[in-house]
Amino acid sequence: MALQIYINGEFYDKADAKISVYDHGLLYGDGVFEGIRSYGGKVFRLAEHLNRLWESAKAIWLEIPISREEMTKAIQDTLAVNNITDGYIRVVVTRGVGSLGLDPNRCSDPQVIVIADRISLYPEELYQKGLKIVTVSVMRNHAAALSPRIKSLNYLNNILAKIEGLQAGCIEALMLNHKGEVAECTGDNIFLIRKGRLLTPPQEAGILEGITRDVVMDLAREIGVAVLEVPLTKHDIYIADECFLTGSAAEVVPVVTVDCRTIGDGAPGPITRELMSRFHALTRS
Ligand code: PMP
């Protein structure tokens, strides 16, 4: 059976799951989304993802036309109908069909889409050996212009950074903020270990407050590693003992080279490996 996609309460075969070309989600990137994981049939940190979705929607004056309970059911039904227990869930809410002008008041019908699919993580080898990343020239959106805390359908900022990273042969790329501080990668948050402490940029650096980021900070505290949310520079990364990225799709992935500098001894470090293993235990328990 073809993959079934949820749109506004109905299921459609993947090939027939379609949205109007007048939808402002397409015309202007006007909408919000979430990327969520399910492990062993259980949706991981669903409440946190729904909170972030509703907050993103609120920030752009978008009213999600169903309740959280209905959204929860839509997600569970989409997993069930596709027989997916371990997968990736994409929830999208668009502004809906409007006119060709910007005015969102002419959009009356936000579209709710839920896609559940099998996950493709980074290749297993990268979890063993670590990733190479580069800093790119594309600056993370200035929070005063468009807050990176909003997970909107307008991902061009991240896509331009991703293209630069790919051109440099890297599948993930590091973005700085307008002050030249480390912000985050195109679809992942960044962490460093230095002298036994875990460091990550604060929300004020202009980042998406990752849900995996929160989970990993909790795991670090559990094993007695101090966690600091502090402004970081590229220099802090170059001299770090360990570096890793977090995200719902990527989970916890080690980084061993940044801008052609070897991090630590060039292999995933002990705290990174411990956090990876605890994250694995938490999600697969
Ligand atoms: N930053 C950005 C820009 C992202 O797109 C993502 C992935 N959604 C993350 C960080 C990681 O967030 P999470 O752990 O909630 O998936």
Side-chain angles (χ1 to χ4, degrees):
M1 188 178 75
L3 198 74
Q4 297 295 297
I5 314 288
Y6 171 105
I7 307 177
N8 297 330
E10 308 279 340
F11 284 101
Y12 300 86
D13 284 357
K14 183 175 170 179
D16 300 325
K18 293 178 182 155
I19 292 285
S20 165
V21 293
Y22 278 82
D23 193 305
H24 281 205
L26 172 72
L27 289 175
Y28 298 117
D30 187 356
V32 293
F33 78 103
E34 277 298 319
I36 315 173
R37 290 290 291 279
S38 112
Y39 297 102
K42 191 167 182 300
V43 183
F44 187 63
R45 295 290 194 265
L46 178 59
E48 288 83 348
H49 282 284
L50 293 186
N51 283 345
R52 190 169 66 185
L53 184 71
W54 256 263
E55 286 170 6
S56 293
K58 184 174 188 191
I60 70 162
W61 291 278
L62 171 62
E63 194 161 337
I64 299 178
I66 60 176
S67 68
R68 282 171 202 237
E69 291 69 36
E70 288 165 326
M71 184 68 87
T72 301
K73 187 168 184 311
I75 292 170
Q76 279 159 353
D77 289 352
T78 309
L79 287 167
V81 74
N82 288 295
N83 217 358
I84 292 175
T85 51
D86 293 279
Y88 178 85
I89 303 141
R90 173 62 56 90
V91 178
V92 181
V93 185
T94 73
R95 186 76 69 180
V97 169
S99 64
L100 291 179
L102 293 176
D103 187 356
N105 294 319
R106 306 188 73 163
C107 307
S108 54
D109 202 11
Q111 302 289 295
V112 178
I113 303 161
V114 182
I115 306 167
D117 212 335
R118 317 273 164 201
I119 180 82
S120 63
L121 289 175
Y122 291 134
E124 177 54 30
E125 202 200 353
L126 293 178
Y127 290 86
Q128 306 295 334
K129 294 194 177 150
L131 228 62
K132 290 184 191 340
I133 64 171
V134 282
T135 309
V136 292
S137 75
V138 179
M139 184 193 296
R140 187 72 176 106
N141 278 335
H142 193 302
L146 176 62
S147 175
R149 296 170 77 182
I150 302 171
K151 199 162 168 64
S152 85
L153 292 182
N154 200 315
Y155 248 51
L156 209 44
N157 182 216
N158 312 58
I159 289 166
L160 297 183
K162 176 98 180 175
I163 292 170
E164 270 196 28
L166 290 171
Q167 283 168 349
C170 297
I171 58 174
E172 187 50 294
L174 179 64
M175 305 169 83
L176 307 178
N177 66 19
H178 68 286
K179 294 190 228 165
E181 298 163 346
V182 172
E184 61 180 337
C185 290
T186 68
D188 298 301
N189 292 112
I190 187 160
F191 285 88
L192 307 179
I193 306 281
R194 172 127 160 108
K195 298 186 176 160
R197 303 189 307 176
L198 184 64
L199 311 175
T200 196
Q203 170 249 301
E204 302 81 62
I207 58 168
L208 183 77
E209 292 156 293
I211 287 158
T212 321
R213 174 179 179 272
D214 276 343
V215 171
V216 164
M217 290 195 289
D218 284 344
L219 290 175
R221 291 183 195 108
E222 270 171 45
I223 56 170
V225 171
V227 179
L228 282 87
E229 294 176 68
V230 285
L232 297 171
T233 62
K234 284 193 292 182
H235 185 74
D236 292 310
I237 302 190
Y238 299 157
I239 63 168
D241 301 320
E242 303 180 31
C243 178
F244 63 85
L245 310 180
T246 64
S248 295
E251 303 188 324
V252 182
V253 60
V255 171
V256 290
T257 306
V258 179
D259 300 339
C260 303
R261 275 92 164 172
T262 302
I263 306 302
D265 60 8
I271 298 179
T272 304
R273 281 189 279 112
E274 179 67 21
L275 290 170
M276 287 171 73
S277 124
R278 281 177 184 259
F279 187 84
H280 197 269
L282 176 71
T283 50
R284 276 78 171 175
S285 62

